[in-house]
Amino acid sequence: GHVNNAVYLTYLEDARIAFLRPLGADVPEMILARVEIDFRAPLSEGDQLEIGVRAARVGTKSFELAYEVRVGEKIAAEAKTVIVSYDYSAARAVEVPDHWREALAA
């Protein structure tokens, strides 16, 4: 009767893309390197979610986003992801572009 834990990854992905696209970040040039989720309260099917996203750290080749998943006043989960700026053709991490870095720092 509750939302499966794996579904939270999709919620975070949707929130991450919605957060990054307006900043001019090119989502296909990123790769997810790490996810950490602390489950605080169960979610039920049909709950109206609100997910807050903010940049927590910006490094040379990666950055960290922090998330808060809420239903009303209830915090359902807190999460962190590490995103790496990635060149898929060369199969390696590359420096976070300056315009991403500036937008994330703001």
Side-chain angles (χ1 to χ4, degrees), residues 28-33 59-63 82-97 100-101:
E29 293 181 11
M30 301 175 193
I31 193 166
L32 179 66
T60 304
K61 294 184 179 181
S62 67
F63 57 93
V82 175
I83 310 297
V84 175
S85 180
Y86 198 75
D87 180 339
Y88 282 88
S89 62
R92 65 179 178 85
V94 295
E95 288 193 14
V96 174
W100 293 9
R101 188 184 323 281

Side-chain angles (χ1 to χ4, degrees), residues 4-80:
N4 183 276
N5 63 310
V7 176
Y8 284 73
L9 293 173
T10 301
Y11 294 158
L12 297 179
E13 178 183 36
D14 290 345
R16 178 171 59 250
I17 291 169
F19 175 76
L20 292 172
R21 283 222 167 112
L23 298 180
D26 191 359
V27 176
E29 293 181 11
M30 301 175 193
I31 193 166
L32 179 66
R34 178 177 170 79
V35 178
E36 179 181 320
I37 304 174
D38 293 319
F39 299 99
R40 303 289 183 208
L43 293 175
S44 298
E45 188 176 326
D47 279 346
Q48 295 296 313
L49 304 180
E50 181 178 323
I51 303 176
V53 183
R54 67 176 177 80
R57 180 192 60 79
V58 181
T60 304
K61 294 184 179 181
S62 67
F63 57 93
E64 183 178 294
L65 298 178
Y67 307 77
E68 188 174 82
V69 180
R70 292 182 161 269
V71 174
E73 296 299 315
K74 175 179 75 174
I75 296 175
E78 294 172 302
K80 293 179 185 177

